[in-house]
Amino acid sequence: MNLLLAALIVVGCAAVGVGAILLVRRHAPDGSYFHDGDRASGVFGVLATGFAVLLGLVVVLAFTSYDESRAGAETEALLVSQQYETAQFLPLAQRDELGGQLVCYARSVVHQEWPRMDDGTQGDAINPWAVELFETFHRVDPQTPAEQAAYSKWLDQTSDREQARNDRMHGAVGVIPTALWLVLLFSAVVIFGYMLLFADSNEPWFVQGALIGSVTAVVVASLLLINVLDNPFTSNGGGLKPVAMERTLRVLAQEESVSPDGPLPCDAKGRPVG
């Protein structure tokens, strides 16, 4: 979510809260609608504590998913770089082909997969260059001890890369179920409604406004934070960017000694050519 839009939402909701309590305050009795303020405060404390505990657990859940996606993206990028180097020890017939396909894989992640994860259309689609890598590697026939060691290492790195990709993709679909979102929103509405009952015609208007405005702002900001953590690939503020894979592409471009000969089988966006 855009940071400016998020700030406007928080300010707007706080303004609605202030307006609502000032409207209710016009008809509120002296000392609020509660005859026993201590009992009312105790009930509000139970509501606020329950919401805070639930909110804290949801934040931990969402941040864990967010962090797993971030770590998966970084691990995947590192493994692409390592596999590129491993490919240089494989037979010459497939060495350059595998290196080029790895570069195309990285480009596809940055320019094809990341935008689809942002708009929610990635689904279960696979990276086409992963298929090309498998088919090319299937033709590898290692002969020397170095080639055999590289062959075995490539298999391990491929498994690790696929696992890292799964970790990255896991966060794209969100981990917070709809039922939990409904409970959070319902709890926020209940707290907001309960706060209106504290309207006091004898209390200064700005104190009443600060009372509900601050609570509303904190609750709304917390819900927006959870939304960002639950959608880690948003292109707006707070979302994950393909920084690690872009860094891998720059590193591979600088490693002239292991650069594949001939043109790559893809364009700058990772789309097949020819």
Side-chain angles (χ1 to χ4, degrees):
M1 178 176 291
N2 184 278
L3 294 179
L4 178 59
L5 177 60
L8 291 176
I9 291 175
V10 172
V11 172
C13 291
V16 170
V18 173
I21 200 169
L22 292 182
L23 182 62
V24 175
R25 178 175 175 270
R26 294 180 178 180
H27 309 285
D30 184 8
S32 81
Y33 286 97
F34 299 108
H35 294 293
D36 189 341
D38 292 338
R39 183 170 59 186
S41 299
V43 173
F44 180 77
V46 172
L47 291 175
T49 301
F51 180 75
V53 171
L54 179 61
L55 191 67
L57 293 175
V58 174
V59 168
V60 171
L61 173 63
F63 180 78
T64 299
S65 176
Y66 181 96
D67 191 57
E68 286 179 354
S69 295
R70 178 198 58 79
E74 293 183 356
T75 302
E76 181 185 27
L78 176 61
L79 286 166
V80 168
S81 178
Q82 292 176 345
Q83 279 197 288
Y84 192 96
E85 296 174 353
T86 301
Q88 309 313 306
F89 296 94
L90 293 172
L92 182 61
Q94 290 82 34
R95 178 186 307 170
D96 294 336
E97 191 174 359
L98 288 171
Q101 289 169 352
L102 280 169
V103 173
C104 292
Y105 176 93
R107 290 179 178 179
S108 179
V109 168
V110 173
H111 300 292
Q112 303 298 321
E113 291 190 5
W114 222 272
R116 290 199 298 264
M117 290 188 297
D118 179 17
D119 58 28
T121 60
Q122 175 63 26
D124 296 328
I126 64 174
N127 190 310
W129 296 106
V131 179
E132 296 294 330
L133 285 166
F134 174 80
E135 293 178 350
T136 302
F137 186 73
H138 189 65
R139 302 196 305 269
V140 173
D141 183 18
Q143 299 296 327
T144 67
E147 291 175 352
Q148 292 172 357
Y151 186 93
S152 177
K153 185 64 175 177
W154 178 281
L155 290 174
D156 293 338
Q157 289 173 335
T158 296
S159 297
D160 293 339
R161 174 172 53 79
E162 291 174 349
Q163 180 60 54
R165 182 177 185 274
N166 286 337
D167 291 340
R168 168 172 62 86
M169 301 288 292
H170 177 68
V173 297
V175 296
I176 301 179
T178 303
L180 192 51
W181 273 115
L182 292 176
V183 171
L184 286 172
L185 294 174
F186 174 76
S187 300
V189 170
V190 169
I191 290 176
F192 179 82
Y194 196 84
M195 288 288 296
L196 293 178
L197 297 178
F198 283 99
D200 186 352
S201 59
N202 192 43
E203 197 171 45
W205 69 268
F206 59 87
V207 174
Q208 292 274 278
L211 180 70
I212 194 170
S214 58
V215 173
T216 302
V218 170
V219 170
V220 173
S222 299
L223 293 176
L224 291 176
L225 172 63
I226 293 174
N227 181 66
V228 171
L229 294 176
D230 196 42
N231 298 276
F233 296 102
T234 176
S235 58
N236 296 310
L240 295 174
K241 303 295 187 295
V243 177
M245 195 64 80
E246 291 174 340
R247 181 171 59 248
T248 292
L249 284 170
R250 292 194 297 269
V251 170
L252 295 182
Q254 296 170 2
E255 294 184 0
E256 298 180 358
S257 60
V258 296
S259 296
D261 296 329
L264 294 174
C266 65
D267 60 15
K269 300 295 185 180
R271 295 184 291 256
V273 296

